[in-house]
Amino acid sequence: MWHKRPTSFRRGVLFLAAATLVTPVLTFTQTTPAQAFGTIGKFGQQTEHERITRAALACRPNTPSDGTCFEPRSLDQVAGRSGTFGAVGAPDTDEVFTPAAHCDDADHLTSPGYPRSRAEATRALQSCVGQLQNRFAQGVTAAAGVLAADGAVAPGESDLGKDCTFSLGVPGRDKCEAIEGLGRALHGVQDFYSHSNWTDRAAPGPVGKANPPGLDLPAPSPLLSLTGGRPLLASAVPAELTTGCFSLVPLGCGKRVQHGDLNKDTGTIDPATGATSGPTTPRGRTGGNFDRAVHGAVTDTRRQWADFRAALTERYGEERGARIACVLTHDAPVRDCAPRS
């Protein structure tokens, strides 16, 4: 939903040449507004990706994790915090111009003469789902390293004494690598709800490029199944599904549905409850679309984390998979996730 790209929930496009790497946290010094659920707290963005992720995955205050929610320090790595992007914001640092990372460019209208066919739009959506499946699988694979061969927690691979680094392909501790795979997948999942008409209602009046139809469908979307690597079937894609075309080139999207016509990238989100207010984009202000997109993103973020835990169990077995999930969610995993005698 919310990527921070030049306009993504809002693509807070971060130009890396203008960024400063402070070991090991990526901090931003200059940005240019982008389009996606927002990643930063300026240029009209209100850290929408972070807030969605916190609303979906945070443990209740002062409550230890049971392996299904993230304790504060670990959640900081997934969602980001002040001065950092977190794993969910990473695509807005180094995949700004990768449409598949944000589910962009899968635009289509059923009206005659639209310059992009249903098949072309579906292929773009399939590319997005494939990209997110790969990130999800990378996270599951990396997670194995948080445990030693005997099942004990590997301290050097699970320590969060320093923040993780998620950009530019810099390798890190296996807990960080696992969280990065999950977070990058969540970014695209969240952007799907901001950038598409899946949960939308159209404005009154004729539908068209400036007012695409709304599907008003519930979340989680069956199109975003990231487990098992099964390709998205074209037959599963609704005929009127569209995302927006994104381009930094003036008139680069021509007569196509543009990002600005469809996105619900920015507004206020309560990071504790997911409650929304003050949508700032035209489509977001229409018919409660910002609220529906945010709640769709929160719902699907929870689904993806549940599926991630299930994938850990399927790959590593019930006991080892549960311990890996414990390490990923706990701030003191050596103490809290040790094998029980």
Side-chain angles (χ1 to χ4, degrees):
M1 155 181 181
W2 293 260
H3 39 126
K4 317 300 182 184
R5 321 186 325 176
T7 84
S8 133
F9 258 130
R10 216 169 155 168
R11 272 182 234 188
V13 172
L14 171 72
F15 289 104
L16 292 174
T20 301
L21 269 190
V22 179
T23 308
V25 182
L26 178 67
T27 59
F28 35 82
T29 57
Q30 290 184 335
T31 58
T32 297
Q35 306 270 27
F37 273 133
T39 303
I40 60 174
K42 56 180 68 176
F43 299 112
Q45 301 177 38
Q46 300 182 58
T47 61
E48 287 86 352
H49 275 295
E50 175 188 339
R51 290 166 177 259
I52 288 164
T53 305
R54 289 184 179 277
L57 301 182
C59 295
R60 291 164 56 180
N62 303 314
T63 302
S65 177
D66 60 359
T68 65
C69 62
F70 285 80
E71 294 180 353
R73 179 72 176 143
S74 297
L75 183 62
D76 285 348
Q77 309 310 305
V78 184
R81 56 180 176 79
S82 179
T84 75
F85 282 76
V88 77
D92 284 334
T93 69
D94 55 15
E95 293 183 298
V96 169
F97 303 110
T98 303
H102 312 274
C103 284
D104 289 330
D105 297 355
D107 57 291
H108 174 70
L109 293 178
T110 56
S111 54
Y114 189 78
R116 191 165 175 83
S117 70
R118 174 71 267 168
E120 289 173 314
T122 296
R123 284 194 292 272
L125 184 63
Q126 289 169 324
S127 178
C128 171
V129 173
Q131 165 100 353
L132 304 186
Q133 287 175 335
N134 288 338
R135 292 301 192 184
F136 187 99
Q138 288 167 7
V140 172
T141 298
V146 302
L147 299 183
D150 62 359
V153 177
E157 299 299 335
S158 59
D159 174 69
L160 292 180
K162 294 182 178 180
D163 283 308
C164 301
T165 298
F166 296 119
S167 297
L168 304 176
V170 177
R173 290 146 283 168
D174 285 322
K175 178 169 179 173
C176 296
E177 294 289 294
I179 286 175
E180 178 171 358
L182 173 65
R184 285 181 182 268
L186 293 180
H187 184 104
V189 167
Q190 293 171 6
D191 274 355
F192 172 83
Y193 292 96
S194 176
H195 297 174
S196 80
N197 62 344
W198 183 267
T199 60
D200 280 12
R201 294 173 184 168
V207 297
K209 188 188 84 65
N211 183 32
L215 299 183
D216 197 11
L217 291 172
S221 171
L223 305 184
L224 299 176
S225 177
L226 304 186
T227 59
R230 293 178 295 275
L232 173 63
L233 298 178
S235 59
V237 180
E240 291 193 320
L241 177 69
T242 184
T243 72
C245 173
F246 177 80
S247 176
L248 291 178
V249 179
L251 303 179
C253 291
K255 298 180 179 180
R256 297 162 62 179
V257 174
Q258 298 186 34
H259 183 85
D261 299 324
L262 195 55
N263 83 84
K264 285 79 58 183
D265 282 344
T266 50
T268 302
I269 303 169
D270 187 316
T273 66
T276 68
S277 62
T280 62
T281 70
R283 186 72 171 195
R285 291 192 295 266
T286 298
N289 284 335
F290 177 68
D291 184 72
R292 270 196 298 279
V294 169
H295 283 86
V298 169
T299 298
D300 214 332
T301 295
R302 290 175 178 149
R303 185 265 296 262
Q304 299 301 337
W305 170 232
D307 285 354
F308 195 91
R309 300 196 310 273
L312 294 175
T313 298
E314 181 177 356
R315 183 156 180 179
Y316 303 114
E318 185 172 354
E319 180 179 354
R320 197 174 184 91
R323 188 169 300 125
I324 291 172
C326 179
V327 173
L328 297 182
T329 55
H330 282 70
D331 293 345
V334 174
R335 179 195 68 196
D336 296 337
C337 306
R340 296 178 180 178
S341 59

